Amino acid sequence: MARALASVCLYASVCTLFLAAFAAPVSLDIRTTSGTFRGLSTGNGTEKWLGVPFAQPPVGSLRFKAPVAITNASRTVKDAFTFGNACPQEPSSSLGAPLSEDCLFLNVFRPAGTTPSEKLPILVWFYGGAFMNGAASDPQFDPTCKRVLIQRSVATSKPIIFVSVNYRVNTFGFLASSHVPAEDLNAGLLDQRAALTFLQENAAAFGGDPSKVTIWGQSAGAGAAEAQVLFPTPRPLFRAAIFDSSTGPFKNAPPASRYDDPGFPFARLLAATGCPAGPASFACLQKLPFEVSPFYRTVFSGSVRGLNVPAAQENATFDTFIKNLLIDPTTVTQDTLNTINSLYPPNDPALGAPFNTGDSLFDRAEAWYTDNMYLAARRLLFNKAAPLQPLFAYAFREFIPGNDPSLGVFHGSELELLFGHFPAVEQAFAEQMADFYINFINDLNPGAPWPQFTLETKQVLQLMRDNITAIPDDFNLQKTDFLDSTVVLGQFQK
Ligand SMILES: *[C@@H]1O[C@H](CO)[C@@H](O)[C@H](O)[C@H]1NC(C)=O
Ligand SMILES: *[C@@H]1O[C@H](CO)[C@@H](O)[C@H](O)[C@H]1NC(C)=O
Ligand SMILES: *[C@@H]1O[C@H](CO)[C@@H](O)[C@H](O)[C@H]1NC(C)=O
């Protein structure tokens, strides 16, 4: 045996293979502050731990409350082979796990054989879903699919660990009222913070470097990531952040007590559940079964597709669409609505409604919504934050073959590439997109040809399969300047 080893080791590369074949497998049992968990080898270059709890179940008297850390972890090894429950929300077939209030779980995916000494950078994923739905177990968020994220990071010698996090949504995560204790407001964001705190204590055991955490979210998940950047913590929980199509958080929000007023969400919730108004409301809502549907119901209404409104009523219907998206529509003036109407006039491809679907109201509403929710919000953030730290902006403009042409490059399209759900023609572009992200997670810079966004140059990277190029950040500028004006921001209570 010794002879065989000696002779094989004349060739360094063969020797490595030989030793690897005889080396004991790295144990997939990992001890954390919330228990010891046995991971799973996927057989395709990755390992995963699913359903790792990062806080006590927010049930009973903990419902609607800030998450509480686990301090009484059991020492028995638990299989972490299946996703933890999705948080309460409207039932859907795409969640990948049962619904339950006991839902504060995260999932760790890493390159196979990662050892604790490797100290890999960590990417933490917060799903979107309008703060109303979403789950880390959703099969579309598999970081191993088509080898685009984790295996790609290994192939480019910039390996990363991926962690996806559940957080409470809708009423369970964002109950607002004067009867909710201030320290429990935005419990869903506090869940994310609890997961990040858990990672500070436990990521090293998985081979991660807790000082190299990047948080990443899309849509509401990106708005949440921005909130994590803005609200200080006693110690840093991450060093970088990626926001895909973020929705804010720079809208004006009314104080929590406003939600108690007649017609506002807390009052509507009490009316729908039969719970009494006043100080007893909170305890009453805590005792209801979690499946009560008013807990999940969207506060906003929003589709204008195919309404076939007569031209004479189109502007008024557009106004109503806008007002229905706001918590407090009484603060928007008709002047502001008229200006929006004229900035996004009835369908004329040469003017403000660019999609030319033949559905004028739909085109206007979509054009305004995209600018108001995403482009204006991003410009506001970047223009304020550029002097404070390095920023990189992109405009994703790739229409992915097979998608609905009338939706164009829709909200969330880029995730199809980054999470490996795309036609073969997009493979190289998806890998390029992933490389930008992987570079940023490793080096805090996405790499050439992506320029830093500065107030002097204001450049964003256009992401298109055959046209990745830096462009000036000046498209739709008149519109976003209006939407970002102090007067309009003050009127949009969202
Ligand atoms: C830890 O404490 C919680 C809350 O009291 C309890 O529900 C849970 O069963 C305990 N876990 C263990 C492993 O003792
Ligand atoms: C890797 O394996 C996991 C678990 O079996 C699976 O979910 C994933 O799709 C696989 N990825 C690839 C690229 O085959
Ligand atoms: C709707 O608003 C546009 C833009 O301000 C305007 O040009 C058009 O005349 C209005 N249509 C009606 C029917 O009022």
Side-chain angles (χ1 to χ4, degrees):
M1 188 65 208
R3 274 182 78 90
L5 184 62
S7 64
V8 168
C9 279
L10 291 174
Y11 309 95
S13 61
V14 180
C15 176
T16 311
L17 281 177
F18 186 85
L19 292 177
F22 282 82
V26 175
S27 169
L28 297 184
D29 291 356
I30 290 188
R31 186 153 167 210
T32 75
T33 50
S34 52
T36 301
F37 299 96
R38 177 159 300 166
L40 200 58
S41 171
T42 64
N44 58 19
T46 60
E47 295 161 351
K48 59 187 179 186
W49 288 256
L50 305 181
V52 175
F54 60 83
Q56 289 184 30
V59 301
S61 61
L62 293 184
R63 179 188 284 179
F64 309 132
K65 306 284 285 179
V68 179
I70 295 172
T71 50
N72 59 344
S74 142
R75 280 172 175 264
T76 42
V77 181
K78 228 179 141 235
D79 288 346
F81 299 167
T82 53
F83 284 111
N85 301 314
C87 292
Q89 59 193 283
E90 202 77 67
S92 144
S93 58
S94 71
L95 296 173
L99 292 177
S100 167
E101 272 192 279
D102 178 5
C103 65
L104 298 185
F105 299 98
L106 54 75
N107 314 295
V108 180
F109 299 76
R110 73 178 189 187
T114 303
T115 60
S117 63
E118 287 181 52
K119 297 192 185 336
L120 302 186
I122 302 161
L123 176 62
V124 178
W125 167 248
F126 301 135
Y127 47 78
F131 295 113
M132 292 300 294
N133 41 58
S137 48
D138 184 330
Q140 73 170 305
F141 305 139
D142 179 351
T144 72
C145 190
K146 291 222 179 96
R147 315 183 75 85
V148 175
L149 274 180
I150 296 188
Q151 294 97 323
R152 179 78 190 163
S153 76
V154 174
T156 57
S157 303
K158 293 185 184 249
I160 61 168
I161 291 180
F162 175 92
V163 178
S164 55
V165 170
N166 273 359
Y167 61 94
R168 282 172 285 175
V169 288
N170 58 59
T171 306
F172 292 90
F174 297 94
L175 184 63
S177 162
S178 63
H179 304 298
V180 178
E183 66 274 18
D184 297 320
L185 288 168
N186 297 310
L189 296 179
L190 299 176
D191 291 343
Q192 297 175 351
R193 189 183 281 194
L196 294 171
T197 305
F198 173 88
L199 288 173
Q200 286 302 304
E201 289 158 6
N202 297 292
F206 290 92
D209 183 344
S211 73
K212 292 185 178 168
V213 174
T214 296
I215 58 173
W216 174 33
Q218 185 264 347
S219 193
E226 288 180 354
Q228 301 298 345
V229 169
L230 288 175
F231 292 99
T233 46
R235 58 173 167 151
L237 300 177
F238 53 89
R239 66 170 188 170
I242 304 175
F243 320 124
D244 285 24
S245 290
S246 109
T247 50
F250 298 96
K251 304 287 188 251
N252 254 358
S257 58
R258 183 80 168 111
Y259 290 66
D260 300 346
D261 290 348
F264 279 74
F266 192 75
R268 294 210 304 266
L269 182 63
L270 296 184
T273 56
C275 278
S281 56
F282 188 80
C284 174
L285 291 170
Q286 276 188 323
K287 292 196 184 80
L288 296 176
F290 82 82
E291 298 90 343
V292 169
S293 65
F295 283 155
Y296 312 147
R297 204 159 283 156
T298 313
V299 233
F300 309 112
S301 62
S303 181
V304 290
R305 196 160 196 193
L307 286 188
N308 297 317
V309 177
Q313 285 164 34
E314 191 180 299
N315 290 347
T317 312
F318 189 17
D319 291 353
T320 307
F321 170 72
I322 293 169
K323 288 198 276 190
N324 280 346
L325 291 166
L326 304 175
I327 293 266
D328 189 351
T330 64
T331 56
V332 185
T333 64
Q334 192 58 46
D335 260 8
T336 294
L337 294 170
N338 290 348
T339 306
I340 292 174
N341 261 277
S342 62
L343 286 171
Y344 301 88
N347 202 353
D348 177 345
L351 297 171
F355 307 123
N356 210 17
T357 59
D359 184 337
S360 176
L361 182 60
F362 175 71
D363 273 10
R364 308 171 74 183
E366 294 308 294
W368 166 77
Y369 194 90
T370 302
D371 286 351
N372 185 64
M373 294 293 283
Y374 312 116
L375 183 59
R378 197 269 295 154
R379 286 202 169 129
L380 190 62
L381 169 63
F382 272 51
N383 289 332
K384 281 188 195 292
L388 307 175
Q389 69 231 297
L391 300 173
F392 301 87
Y394 72 75
F396 182 80
R397 291 179 166 172
E398 174 68 1
F399 174 76
I400 299 171
N403 285 342
D404 178 354
S406 76
L407 292 181
V409 183
F410 60 81
H411 186 54
S413 308
E414 80 286 14
L415 295 184
E416 297 182 356
L417 301 187
L418 293 161
F419 282 111
H421 310 286
F422 50 75
V425 67
E426 298 288 9
Q427 182 77 35
F429 180 51
E431 287 172 0
Q432 172 65 80
M433 291 266 302
D435 288 349
F436 286 135
Y437 280 54
I438 291 164
N439 288 342
F440 181 73
I441 295 154
N442 274 270
D443 311 325
L444 302 178
N445 191 317
W450 197 325
Q452 185 176 331
F453 180 97
T454 66
L455 291 186
E456 293 69 37
T457 54
K458 289 200 179 176
Q459 285 195 306
V460 309
L461 191 72
Q462 169 175 284
L463 290 169
M464 273 177 95
R465 191 190 333 149
D466 297 319
N467 197 347
I468 298 178
T469 185
I471 57 170
D473 189 23
D474 61 1
F475 44 97
N476 297 5
L477 195 57
Q478 186 199 1
K479 299 181 177 88
T480 60
D481 277 351
F482 177 70
L483 298 170
D484 278 341
S485 63
T486 312
V487 59
V488 175
L489 290 178
Q491 291 176 13
F492 271 61
Q493 303 246 312
K494 181 128 174 66

